[in-house]
Amino acid sequence: MVSCDRINVCLLNESYNSKKFVQKKFSTRKSVNYSLTERYQIVENLKTAYLFKRGIISIIIFSVICGVFLVRMSSDEHDSSMNWILIGFNYAAILYGIGFPAAMFYYDQQFQKQLITYIRLVS
């Protein structure tokens, strides 16, 4: 599980880069030294922070759902209730196993390139 320190650092990084991005975007050349490479780096930092935050949120949701199902599995339930609990747990695991990589493929271009390269190597 991701520690709270990493989450806090990610949120601070996102906040800092958002402020810097607004300063660079809405400033004139006279008021602030404008650097295209610096602005590009800030945008890349923001993209990474947003992607990390989405990943953390999905991991937390998945952990809570699976945790609830695991707690319910440890209780003394009827066979039909246990079957529904197992179906729910398996569905959550499959959804996370397919959904998270699909979201990464959609949002992250580097992940797309690496996955396509890997598929070509395997084929």
Side-chain angles (χ1 to χ4, degrees):
M1 189 97 187
V2 177
S3 67
C4 292
D5 295 338
R6 291 182 185 175
I7 294 170
N8 290 335
V9 168
C10 177
L11 294 175
L12 287 172
N13 183 26
E14 181 183 349
S15 173
Y16 174 78
N17 283 304
S18 294
K19 289 177 187 174
K20 285 292 186 184
F21 180 72
V22 169
Q23 285 177 353
K24 298 293 180 192
K25 187 173 182 178
F26 296 112
S27 67
T28 61
R29 284 185 176 264
K30 295 176 185 175
S31 64
V32 177
N33 292 334
Y34 179 81
S35 170
L36 188 59
T37 56
E38 185 179 0
R39 186 173 170 195
Y40 177 77
Q41 185 61 48
I42 291 170
V43 170
E44 288 300 313
N45 290 347
L46 285 172
K47 284 181 185 178
T48 304
Y50 292 150
L51 187 64
F52 183 75
K53 192 164 52 171
R54 285 184 190 119
I56 292 298
I57 290 170
S58 67
I59 289 169
I60 290 170
I61 290 171
F62 172 73
S63 297
V64 167
I65 290 171
C66 288
V68 167
F69 285 126
L70 289 173
V71 167
R72 295 290 296 168
M73 277 188 234
S74 66
S75 64
D76 209 12
E77 296 286 333
H78 298 293
D79 286 340
S80 62
S81 298
M82 187 58 72
N83 287 338
W84 283 108
I85 292 169
L86 288 172
I87 289 170
F89 179 80
N90 290 335
Y91 180 72
I94 289 171
L95 184 65
Y96 182 76
I98 294 172
F100 191 71
M104 287 290 293
F105 184 80
Y106 179 74
Y107 287 115
D108 190 10
Q109 292 177 351
Q110 185 67 26
F111 184 80
Q112 290 175 2
K113 291 176 186 175
Q114 289 176 350
L115 183 64
I116 290 170
T117 303
Y118 177 74
I119 290 171
R120 287 182 182 157
L121 286 175
V122 171
S123 308

PDB file of all heavy atoms in Angstrom, residues 2-26:
ATOM      1  N   VAL A   2       0.437   2.279  -0.630  1.00  0.00           N
ATOM      2  CA  VAL A   2       1.203   3.504  -0.733  1.00  0.00           C
ATOM      3  C   VAL A   2       1.124   4.252   0.595  1.00  0.00           C
ATOM      4  O   VAL A   2       0.072   4.378   1.195  1.00  0.00           O
ATOM      5  CB  VAL A   2       0.643   4.382  -1.876  1.00  0.00           C
ATOM      6  CG1 VAL A   2       1.379   5.679  -1.954  1.00  0.00           C
ATOM      7  CG2 VAL A   2       0.740   3.639  -3.193  1.00  0.00           C
ATOM      8  N   SER A   3       2.263   4.746   1.053  1.00  0.00           N
ATOM      9  CA  SER A   3       2.277   5.426   2.344  1.00  0.00           C
ATOM     10  C   SER A   3       1.678   6.824   2.219  1.00  0.00           C
ATOM     11  O   SER A   3       1.617   7.407   1.136  1.00  0.00           O
ATOM     12  CB  SER A   3       3.709   5.518   2.864  1.00  0.00           C
ATOM     13  OG  SER A   3       4.473   6.374   2.036  1.00  0.00           O
ATOM     14  N   CYS A   4       1.251   7.351   3.346  1.00  0.00           N
ATOM     15  CA  CYS A   4       0.650   8.692   3.380  1.00  0.00           C
ATOM     16  C   CYS A   4       1.662   9.756   3.005  1.00  0.00           C
ATOM     17  O   CYS A   4       1.284  10.803   2.472  1.00  0.00           O
ATOM     18  CB  CYS A   4       0.061   8.965   4.753  1.00  0.00           C
ATOM     19  SG  CYS A   4      -1.372   7.956   5.115  1.00  0.00           S
ATOM     20  N   ASP A   5       2.941   9.518   3.276  1.00  0.00           N
ATOM     21  CA  ASP A   5       3.967  10.499   2.930  1.00  0.00           C
ATOM     22  C   ASP A   5       4.024  10.714   1.426  1.00  0.00           C
ATOM     23  O   ASP A   5       4.131  11.847   0.957  1.00  0.00           O
ATOM     24  CB  ASP A   5       5.337  10.040   3.428  1.00  0.00           C
ATOM     25  CG  ASP A   5       5.409   9.964   4.941  1.00  0.00           C
ATOM     26  OD1 ASP A   5       4.583  10.638   5.602  1.00  0.00           O
ATOM     27  OD2 ASP A   5       6.273   9.237   5.451  1.00  0.00           O
ATOM     28  N   ARG A   6       3.953   9.647   0.667  1.00  0.00           N
ATOM     29  CA  ARG A   6       3.998   9.769  -0.791  1.00  0.00           C
ATOM     30  C   ARG A   6       2.783  10.490  -1.321  1.00  0.00           C
ATOM     31  O   ARG A   6       2.883  11.284  -2.260  1.00  0.00           O
ATOM     32  CB  ARG A   6       4.109   8.394  -1.433  1.00  0.00           C
ATOM     33  CG  ARG A   6       5.430   7.736  -1.191  1.00  0.00           C
ATOM     34  CD  ARG A   6       5.509   6.409  -1.875  1.00  0.00           C
ATOM     35  NE  ARG A   6       6.745   5.745  -1.515  1.00  0.00           N
ATOM     36  CZ  ARG A   6       7.052   4.533  -1.884  1.00  0.00           C
ATOM     37  NH1 ARG A   6       6.220   3.837  -2.616  1.00  0.00           N
ATOM     38  NH2 ARG A   6       8.195   3.994  -1.525  1.00  0.00           N
ATOM     39  N   ILE A   7       1.633  10.231  -0.735  1.00  0.00           N
ATOM     40  CA  ILE A   7       0.416  10.910  -1.167  1.00  0.00           C
ATOM     41  C   ILE A   7       0.524  12.397  -0.877  1.00  0.00           C
ATOM     42  O   ILE A   7       0.198  13.240  -1.728  1.00  0.00           O
ATOM     43  CB  ILE A   7      -0.825  10.298  -0.482  1.00  0.00           C
ATOM     44  CG1 ILE A   7      -1.024   8.860  -0.952  1.00  0.00           C
ATOM     45  CG2 ILE A   7      -2.071  11.118  -0.769  1.00  0.00           C
ATOM     46  CD1 ILE A   7      -2.066   8.095  -0.180  1.00  0.00           C
ATOM     47  N   ASN A   8       1.017  12.739   0.323  1.00  0.00           N
ATOM     48  CA  ASN A   8       1.173  14.152   0.680  1.00  0.00           C
ATOM     49  C   ASN A   8       2.173  14.855  -0.228  1.00  0.00           C
ATOM     50  O   ASN A   8       1.946  15.989  -0.649  1.00  0.00           O
ATOM     51  CB  ASN A   8       1.596  14.288   2.144  1.00  0.00           C
ATOM     52  CG  ASN A   8       0.486  13.908   3.092  1.00  0.00           C
ATOM     53  OD1 ASN A   8      -0.685  13.984   2.749  1.00  0.00           O
ATOM     54  ND2 ASN A   8       0.860  13.484   4.288  1.00  0.00           N
ATOM     55  N   VAL A   9       3.282  14.184  -0.532  1.00  0.00           N
ATOM     56  CA  VAL A   9       4.278  14.768  -1.430  1.00  0.00           C
ATOM     57  C   VAL A   9       3.679  14.978  -2.815  1.00  0.00           C
ATOM     58  O   VAL A   9       3.913  16.009  -3.454  1.00  0.00           O
ATOM     59  CB  VAL A   9       5.541  13.883  -1.487  1.00  0.00           C
ATOM     60  CG1 VAL A   9       6.458  14.305  -2.614  1.00  0.00           C
ATOM     61  CG2 VAL A   9       6.268  13.912  -0.166  1.00  0.00           C
ATOM     62  N   CYS A  10       2.892  14.030  -3.270  1.00  0.00           N
ATOM     63  CA  CYS A  10       2.245  14.161  -4.585  1.00  0.00           C
ATOM     64  C   CYS A  10       1.300  15.357  -4.597  1.00  0.00           C
ATOM     65  O   CYS A  10       1.286  16.139  -5.541  1.00  0.00           O
ATOM     66  CB  CYS A  10       1.487  12.885  -4.942  1.00  0.00           C
ATOM     67  SG  CYS A  10       0.605  12.993  -6.494  1.00  0.00           S
ATOM     68  N   LEU A  11       0.513  15.508  -3.544  1.00  0.00           N
ATOM     69  CA  LEU A  11      -0.419  16.631  -3.476  1.00  0.00           C
ATOM     70  C   LEU A  11       0.312  17.966  -3.376  1.00  0.00           C
ATOM     71  O   LEU A  11      -0.090  18.952  -4.012  1.00  0.00           O
ATOM     72  CB  LEU A  11      -1.380  16.452  -2.305  1.00  0.00           C
ATOM     73  CG  LEU A  11      -2.343  15.276  -2.414  1.00  0.00           C
ATOM     74  CD1 LEU A  11      -3.169  15.132  -1.143  1.00  0.00           C
ATOM     75  CD2 LEU A  11      -3.245  15.417  -3.626  1.00  0.00           C
ATOM     76  N   LEU A  12       1.398  18.016  -2.604  1.00  0.00           N
ATOM     77  CA  LEU A  12       2.192  19.242  -2.524  1.00  0.00           C
ATOM     78  C   LEU A  12       2.846  19.557  -3.866  1.00  0.00           C
ATOM     79  O   LEU A  12       2.883  20.722  -4.286  1.00  0.00           O
ATOM     80  CB  LEU A  12       3.261  19.107  -1.439  1.00  0.00           C
ATOM     81  CG  LEU A  12       2.762  19.151   0.001  1.00  0.00           C
ATOM     82  CD1 LEU A  12       3.900  18.814   0.964  1.00  0.00           C
ATOM     83  CD2 LEU A  12       2.166  20.495   0.325  1.00  0.00           C
ATOM     84  N   ASN A  13       3.354  18.536  -4.543  1.00  0.00           N
ATOM     85  CA  ASN A  13       3.959  18.717  -5.859  1.00  0.00           C
ATOM     86  C   ASN A  13       2.931  19.250  -6.852  1.00  0.00           C
ATOM     87  O   ASN A  13       3.222  20.164  -7.631  1.00  0.00           O
ATOM     88  CB  ASN A  13       4.540  17.387  -6.336  1.00  0.00           C
ATOM     89  CG  ASN A  13       5.253  17.519  -7.659  1.00  0.00           C
ATOM     90  OD1 ASN A  13       5.743  18.581  -8.015  1.00  0.00           O
ATOM     91  ND2 ASN A  13       5.320  16.418  -8.389  1.00  0.00           N
ATOM     92  N   GLU A  14       1.736  18.688  -6.819  1.00  0.00           N
ATOM     93  CA  GLU A  14       0.680  19.144  -7.718  1.00  0.00           C
ATOM     94  C   GLU A  14       0.306  20.596  -7.430  1.00  0.00           C
ATOM     95  O   GLU A  14       0.160  21.405  -8.349  1.00  0.00           O
ATOM     96  CB  GLU A  14      -0.548  18.251  -7.563  1.00  0.00           C
ATOM     97  CG  GLU A  14      -1.691  18.630  -8.462  1.00  0.00           C
ATOM     98  CD  GLU A  14      -2.912  17.768  -8.214  1.00  0.00           C
ATOM     99  OE1 GLU A  14      -2.819  16.759  -7.505  1.00  0.00           O
ATOM    100  OE2 GLU A  14      -3.981  18.130  -8.738  1.00  0.00           O
ATOM    101  N   SER A  15       0.178  20.947  -6.170  1.00  0.00           N
ATOM    102  CA  SER A  15      -0.172  22.314  -5.788  1.00  0.00           C
ATOM    103  C   SER A  15       0.912  23.299  -6.223  1.00  0.00           C
ATOM    104  O   SER A  15       0.618  24.350  -6.803  1.00  0.00           O
ATOM    105  CB  SER A  15      -0.380  22.382  -4.279  1.00  0.00           C
ATOM    106  OG  SER A  15      -0.563  23.698  -3.860  1.00  0.00           O
ATOM    107  N   TYR A  16       2.157  22.953  -5.965  1.00  0.00           N
ATOM    108  CA  TYR A  16       3.276  23.819  -6.333  1.00  0.00           C
ATOM    109  C   TYR A  16       3.335  24.022  -7.844  1.00  0.00           C
ATOM    110  O   TYR A  16       3.470  25.151  -8.327  1.00  0.00           O
ATOM    111  CB  TYR A  16       4.586  23.213  -5.821  1.00  0.00           C
ATOM    112  CG  TYR A  16       5.822  23.948  -6.270  1.00  0.00           C
ATOM    113  CD1 TYR A  16       6.204  25.129  -5.648  1.00  0.00           C
ATOM    114  CD2 TYR A  16       6.594  23.463  -7.323  1.00  0.00           C
ATOM    115  CE1 TYR A  16       7.337  25.811  -6.069  1.00  0.00           C
ATOM    116  CE2 TYR A  16       7.717  24.131  -7.748  1.00  0.00           C
ATOM    117  CZ  TYR A  16       8.090  25.307  -7.121  1.00  0.00           C
ATOM    118  OH  TYR A  16       9.202  25.987  -7.545  1.00  0.00           O
ATOM    119  N   ASN A  17       3.229  22.933  -8.603  1.00  0.00           N
ATOM    120  CA  ASN A  17       3.315  23.038 -10.058  1.00  0.00           C
ATOM    121  C   ASN A  17       2.106  23.751 -10.646  1.00  0.00           C
ATOM    122  O   ASN A  17       2.226  24.426 -11.669  1.00  0.00           O
ATOM    123  CB  ASN A  17       3.489  21.653 -10.675  1.00  0.00           C
ATOM    124  CG  ASN A  17       4.904  21.164 -10.524  1.00  0.00           C
ATOM    125  OD1 ASN A  17       5.837  21.818 -10.942  1.00  0.00           O
ATOM    126  ND2 ASN A  17       5.068  20.020  -9.889  1.00  0.00           N
ATOM    127  N   SER A  18       0.937  23.600 -10.029  1.00  0.00           N
ATOM    128  CA  SER A  18      -0.240  24.323 -10.511  1.00  0.00           C
ATOM    129  C   SER A  18      -0.037  25.827 -10.361  1.00  0.00           C
ATOM    130  O   SER A  18      -0.366  26.600 -11.271  1.00  0.00           O
ATOM    131  CB  SER A  18      -1.489  23.905  -9.730  1.00  0.00           C
ATOM    132  OG  SER A  18      -1.800  22.574  -9.980  1.00  0.00           O
ATOM    133  N   LYS A  19       0.505  26.254  -9.223  1.00  0.00           N
ATOM    134  CA  LYS A  19       0.772  27.683  -9.015  1.00  0.00           C
ATOM    135  C   LYS A  19       1.803  28.191 -10.011  1.00  0.00           C
ATOM    136  O   LYS A  19       1.652  29.268 -10.589  1.00  0.00           O
ATOM    137  CB  LYS A  19       1.246  27.922  -7.586  1.00  0.00           C
ATOM    138  CG  LYS A  19       0.163  27.760  -6.557  1.00  0.00           C
ATOM    139  CD  LYS A  19       0.712  27.933  -5.152  1.00  0.00           C
ATOM    140  CE  LYS A  19      -0.359  27.609  -4.125  1.00  0.00           C
ATOM    141  NZ  LYS A  19       0.168  27.629  -2.757  1.00  0.00           N
ATOM    142  N   LYS A  20       2.861  27.427 -10.201  1.00  0.00           N
ATOM    143  CA  LYS A  20       3.899  27.820 -11.163  1.00  0.00           C
ATOM    144  C   LYS A  20       3.344  27.891 -12.584  1.00  0.00           C
ATOM    145  O   LYS A  20       3.686  28.789 -13.345  1.00  0.00           O
ATOM    146  CB  LYS A  20       5.073  26.843 -11.113  1.00  0.00           C
ATOM    147  CG  LYS A  20       5.945  27.000  -9.929  1.00  0.00           C
ATOM    148  CD  LYS A  20       6.676  28.313 -10.023  1.00  0.00           C
ATOM    149  CE  LYS A  20       7.677  28.441  -8.905  1.00  0.00           C
ATOM    150  NZ  LYS A  20       8.340  29.739  -8.921  1.00  0.00           N
ATOM    151  N   PHE A  21       2.481  26.930 -12.933  1.00  0.00           N
ATOM    152  CA  PHE A  21       1.908  26.910 -14.274  1.00  0.00           C
ATOM    153  C   PHE A  21       1.051  28.147 -14.506  1.00  0.00           C
ATOM    154  O   PHE A  21       1.122  28.774 -15.563  1.00  0.00           O
ATOM    155  CB  PHE A  21       1.077  25.646 -14.477  1.00  0.00           C
ATOM    156  CG  PHE A  21       0.453  25.554 -15.837  1.00  0.00           C
ATOM    157  CD1 PHE A  21       1.227  25.296 -16.957  1.00  0.00           C
ATOM    158  CD2 PHE A  21      -0.902  25.727 -16.005  1.00  0.00           C
ATOM    159  CE1 PHE A  21       0.666  25.210 -18.208  1.00  0.00           C
ATOM    160  CE2 PHE A  21      -1.475  25.648 -17.257  1.00  0.00           C
ATOM    161  CZ  PHE A  21      -0.692  25.390 -18.356  1.00  0.00           C
ATOM    162  N   VAL A  22       0.248  28.528 -13.530  1.00  0.00           N
ATOM    163  CA  VAL A  22      -0.592  29.724 -13.662  1.00  0.00           C
ATOM    164  C   VAL A  22       0.286  30.959 -13.787  1.00  0.00           C
ATOM    165  O   VAL A  22      -0.001  31.846 -14.603  1.00  0.00           O
ATOM    166  CB  VAL A  22      -1.561  29.837 -12.459  1.00  0.00           C
ATOM    167  CG1 VAL A  22      -2.244  31.181 -12.427  1.00  0.00           C
ATOM    168  CG2 VAL A  22      -2.590  28.724 -12.524  1.00  0.00           C
ATOM    169  N   GLN A  23       1.362  31.029 -13.012  1.00  0.00           N
ATOM    170  CA  GLN A  23       2.271  32.168 -13.112  1.00  0.00           C
ATOM    171  C   GLN A  23       2.875  32.261 -14.500  1.00  0.00           C
ATOM    172  O   GLN A  23       2.960  33.345 -15.083  1.00  0.00           O
ATOM    173  CB  GLN A  23       3.399  32.048 -12.095  1.00  0.00           C
ATOM    174  CG  GLN A  23       2.996  32.340 -10.678  1.00  0.00           C
ATOM    175  CD  GLN A  23       4.161  32.114  -9.717  1.00  0.00           C
ATOM    176  OE1 GLN A  23       5.224  31.623 -10.115  1.00  0.00           O
ATOM    177  NE2 GLN A  23       3.956  32.459  -8.459  1.00  0.00           N
ATOM    178  N   LYS A  24       3.312  31.133 -15.036  1.00  0.00           N
ATOM    179  CA  LYS A  24       3.961  31.142 -16.350  1.00  0.00           C
ATOM    180  C   LYS A  24       2.958  31.394 -17.478  1.00  0.00           C
ATOM    181  O   LYS A  24       3.268  32.068 -18.445  1.00  0.00           O
ATOM    182  CB  LYS A  24       4.676  29.817 -16.616  1.00  0.00           C
ATOM    183  CG  LYS A  24       5.777  29.508 -15.661  1.00  0.00           C
ATOM    184  CD  LYS A  24       6.910  30.472 -15.825  1.00  0.00           C
ATOM    185  CE  LYS A  24       8.009  30.136 -14.842  1.00  0.00           C
ATOM    186  NZ  LYS A  24       9.004  31.178 -14.739  1.00  0.00           N
ATOM    187  N   LYS A  25       1.748  30.855 -17.332  1.00  0.00           N
ATOM    188  CA  LYS A  25       0.769  30.973 -18.409  1.00  0.00           C
ATOM    189  C   LYS A  25       0.221  32.385 -18.535  1.00  0.00           C
ATOM    190  O   LYS A  25       0.024  32.887 -19.629  1.00  0.00           O
ATOM    191  CB  LYS A  25      -0.377  29.988 -18.165  1.00  0.00           C
ATOM    192  CG  LYS A  25      -1.356  29.929 -19.306  1.00  0.00           C
ATOM    193  CD  LYS A  25      -2.364  28.838 -19.109  1.00  0.00           C
ATOM    194  CE  LYS A  25      -3.301  28.782 -20.302  1.00  0.00           C
ATOM    195  NZ  LYS A  25      -4.262  27.727 -20.185  1.00  0.00           N
ATOM    196  N   PHE A  26      -0.026  33.032 -17.406  1.00  0.00           N
ATOM    197  CA  PHE A  26      -0.675  34.333 -17.437  1.00  0.00           C
ATOM    198  C   PHE A  26       0.282  35.491 -17.183  1.00  0.00           C
ATOM    199  O   PHE A  26      -0.145  36.586 -16.870  1.00  0.00           O
ATOM    200  CB  PHE A  26      -1.823  34.362 -16.415  1.00  0.00           C
ATOM    201  CG  PHE A  26      -2.909  33.387 -16.739  1.00  0.00           C
ATOM    202  CD1 PHE A  26      -3.124  32.292 -15.920  1.00  0.00           C
ATOM    203  CD2 PHE A  26      -3.689  33.537 -17.869  1.00  0.00           C
ATOM    204  CE1 PHE A  26      -4.116  31.374 -16.218  1.00  0.00           C
ATOM    205  CE2 PHE A  26      -4.676  32.627 -18.174  1.00  0.00           C
ATOM    206  CZ  PHE A  26      -4.888  31.544 -17.346  1.00  0.00           C
TER     207      PHE A  26
END
